[in-house]
Amino acid sequence: MTVLPIIVAPDPRLKIKAKPVDAVDDDVRQLMDDMLDSMYAAQGIGLAAPQVGDDRRVIVVDVSRENEDPQPMFLANPQIVGVSDDDREHEEGCLSLPEHYAAVVRPDQVRIRYLDRDNEICEIDAEGILATCIQHEIDHLDGILFVDRVSALKRNMILRKLQKAKKLAAQPA
Ligand code: NI
């Protein structure tokens, strides 16, 4: 089990466009497993590779509730291939924007095509919190944070606070 440090915004590593993997091999599986460990350790429901400083298009997700069995999902090269007309608004958070939340509107249902942990091509229909979470994580692969989908006022307020917290943390005691 390897718990990787999660990068906190603002950080240029969160703005990169991640690259597709050729195949899900042992190396990619290792990344997926480390990412899942890191996500669980941080009590998140989704994590994208750029958040741990990796530039591959890999995300992990688990939206099961506390009283349910874990339902980890591993997605490489995830693509949105269909969206519903109806939207869903959700108060989103992000491990890279700790303790900040904002309402984001996204399609309520999406069809996702991806390579799973066994390098099989899969297609699933996701809705509700799973759809929101997968769209949020795919955004990370394109350098987009949830604050990029809210008003500039709200975005700048959150990023300023995070920047200030970083400066304080960097000061010698
Ligand atoms: Ni996030």
Side-chain angles (χ1 to χ4, degrees), residues 5-27:
I6 293 170
I7 296 167
V8 172
D11 191 300
R13 290 170 291 177
L14 295 172
K15 306 304 292 176
I16 63 160
K17 188 162 172 65
K19 300 181 189 77
V21 301
D22 294 331
V24 178
D25 55 13
D26 285 345
D27 194 45

Side-chain angles (χ1 to χ4, degrees), residues 46 51 93-96 136-137 140 145-146:
Q51 292 180 274
C94 179
L95 295 175
S96 293
H136 172 122
E137 300 313 328
H140 274 297
L145 303 175
F146 82 76

